[in-house]
Amino acid sequence: MNFYIVNSNDNSTELLKDIIENDFNNSIVGTTTNPQQAYDDAMRLSIDIMFVDFTMPRIDGVELIRRIQDSRHYPHFIMMAPAIDPATRTRAYKSGIDFFIEKPLNIAEVKTVIKMARQNIDMSKRLLQILDLVSGAATNSNTVSISYKEKQKENAKSILRFLGITAGNGGQEIISVINMMIERELDFEEINFEESYHCDKHGKKIIFQRIRRDIRAGLTNLAHMCIDYPENDIILEYANNLYEYKNIHNEIAYLQGQRQTGGQVSIKHFFNGLIQESN
């Protein structure tokens, strides 16, 4: 994997370089403290994963990512920053970052995020190879459009794997629904399940029961992760956007014997949050 680091802090740059280069399959193709230099390098270098510092002079990390993507270059982005407000963090995810890690950097968290980003890239490449074989005559514009949607789908699957809810029937139906939302650019409430799944209201209810059961399992898994890693930024982001943190809090209290009931799940909130997290 080819890595590039845009960072205003030399200490964390050296830490990142040590972690990345510890794997002989990785290469660092460039580092800089200058966002304009990073943009110029993104135009000419083959970069798989770019670490981007949010706090940089003249151009912040979010704006840099937008400029790079507007130029039709699509490395995977991992953003680094001290604690920032939820609105800024949401803006960062909407700009196209895959993951957010908080400074000062935690070595174990950095390694985990790199591993997850690599899995996303490997899956995207395999899918694009299949698409190239099936549709060799596709135009460049079509390929770009397909690539972005396939990246969304793989990001969503990666999050579901992280939550541990892809194995059962409900997990497969969750993947089916999220793929439909991405392909048709729909919000969850816009889906006509009776038409899309050729079922009546009873059939829709059964589908929802299976989906809800697996989403509920994900809630429990995420609550356990919050107990074990209470300051992990990725886990907290998923807790809020997929379940609303109050439900994770209630589930934690239930698991610790402080409540008789756990958190609640909203299918609509989960799917719309999953779309947001996969962008």
Side-chain angles (χ1 to χ4, degrees), residues 6-7 16 51-55 78-82 101 103 105:
V6 196
N7 188 22
L16 285 173
F51 280 89
V52 179
D53 189 356
F54 175 76
T55 54
I78 299 173
M79 178 161 282
M80 309 170 291
I101 51 179
K103 290 184 173 181
L105 299 181

Side-chain angles (χ1 to χ4, degrees), residues 7 28 39 45 80 91-92 103 109 121 147 161 163 166 199 213 216 231-232 238 240 264 266:
N7 188 22
I28 297 177
Y39 176 85
L45 297 174
M80 309 170 291
R91 185 164 68 93
K103 290 184 173 181
E109 184 178 13
I121 291 170
S147 174
R161 285 194 299 271
L163 297 174
T166 57
C199 63
R213 182 170 58 243
R216 184 71 183 73
E231 297 182 359
N232 184 290
Y238 291 165
N240 189 51
Q264 302 298 311
S266 163

Side-chain angles (χ1 to χ4, degrees), residues 36-56:
Q36 183 59 51
Q37 181 65 50
Y39 176 85
D40 294 340
D41 287 345
M43 299 305 102
R44 63 183 185 85
L45 297 174
S46 175
I47 302 171
D48 296 307
I49 299 173
M50 178 178 280
F51 280 89
V52 179
D53 189 356
F54 175 76
T55 54
M56 291 185 296

Side-chain angles (χ1 to χ4, degrees), residues 9-276:
N9 186 315
D10 290 339
N11 291 332
S12 54
T13 296
E14 291 304 313
L15 176 63
L16 285 173
K17 288 170 68 174
D18 288 342
I19 295 171
I20 292 167
E21 292 178 333
N22 192 49
D23 185 336
F24 293 116
N25 294 316
N26 296 334
S27 298
I28 297 177
V29 297
T31 65
T32 186
T33 60
N34 185 331
Q36 183 59 51
Q37 181 65 50
Y39 176 85
D40 294 340
D41 287 345
M43 299 305 102
R44 63 183 185 85
L45 297 174
S46 175
I47 302 171
D48 296 307
I49 299 173
M50 178 178 280
F51 280 89
V52 179
D53 189 356
F54 175 76
T55 54
M56 291 185 296
R58 296 184 300 278
I59 305 173
D60 69 28
V62 171
E63 181 61 26
L64 172 61
I65 290 169
R66 283 179 176 160
R67 291 188 185 186
I68 292 173
Q69 291 192 326
D70 286 346
S71 69
R72 295 190 180 276
H73 291 77
Y74 300 100
H76 288 244
F77 295 101
I78 299 173
M79 178 161 282
M80 309 170 291
I84 58 176
D85 61 272
T88 302
R89 185 170 301 175
T90 299
R91 185 164 68 93
Y93 275 105
K94 286 183 176 180
S95 74
I97 70 169
D98 288 18
F99 301 102
F100 179 96
I101 51 179
E102 191 168 308
K103 290 184 173 181
L105 299 181
N106 177 282
I107 294 175
E109 184 178 13
V110 172
K111 288 181 178 179
T112 298
V113 168
I114 289 175
K115 180 180 178 181
M116 293 173 67
R118 178 183 289 147
Q119 289 174 342
N120 287 347
I121 291 170
D122 288 342
M123 287 192 176
S124 294
K125 285 181 177 178
R126 286 197 292 270
L127 281 168
L128 287 174
Q129 287 171 352
I130 294 170
L131 287 169
D132 286 341
L133 290 172
V134 173
S135 56
T139 63
N140 287 337
S141 60
N142 285 339
T143 302
V144 169
S145 176
I146 291 171
S147 174
Y148 181 72
K149 287 189 175 181
E150 292 305 324
K151 177 184 174 183
Q152 282 184 287
K153 292 177 186 178
E154 290 311 313
N155 287 346
K157 288 180 184 177
S158 177
I159 294 168
L160 293 173
R161 285 194 299 271
F162 183 80
L163 297 174
I165 57 174
T166 57
N169 290 334
Q172 295 305 311
E173 284 170 339
I174 291 170
I175 291 172
S176 173
V177 171
I178 203 70
N179 286 348
M180 182 194 310
M181 291 172 67
I182 291 170
E183 284 294 337
R184 301 183 187 178
E185 300 180 3
L186 299 173
D187 292 330
F188 180 79
E189 55 270 26
E190 295 175 315
I191 299 174
N192 185 325
F193 279 87
E194 288 87 348
E195 178 181 301
S196 298
Y197 287 86
H198 307 291
C199 63
D200 56 17
K201 290 184 178 180
H202 179 69
K204 176 182 174 181
K205 182 178 180 181
I206 292 173
I207 292 171
F208 275 31
Q209 286 175 340
R210 286 198 293 260
I211 289 175
R212 186 181 297 276
R213 182 170 58 243
D214 277 28
I215 291 176
R216 184 71 183 73
L219 171 70
T220 302
N221 292 340
L222 198 56
H224 279 295
M225 286 186 268
C226 284
I227 294 171
D228 293 335
Y229 307 101
E231 297 182 359
N232 184 290
D233 209 60
I234 295 173
I235 293 173
L236 294 178
E237 186 78 29
Y238 291 165
N240 189 51
N241 283 354
L242 301 180
Y243 293 100
E244 292 186 294
Y245 189 75
K246 65 180 181 182
N247 291 308
I248 296 291
H249 177 78
N250 290 341
E251 186 70 12
I252 291 172
Y254 171 73
L255 293 172
Q256 294 177 333
Q258 299 169 6
R259 281 175 56 98
Q260 293 185 343
T261 59
Q264 302 298 311
V265 297
S266 163
I267 296 178
K268 173 184 171 182
H269 184 86
F270 180 86
F271 276 102
N272 287 338
L274 188 56
I275 285 287
Q276 179 183 333

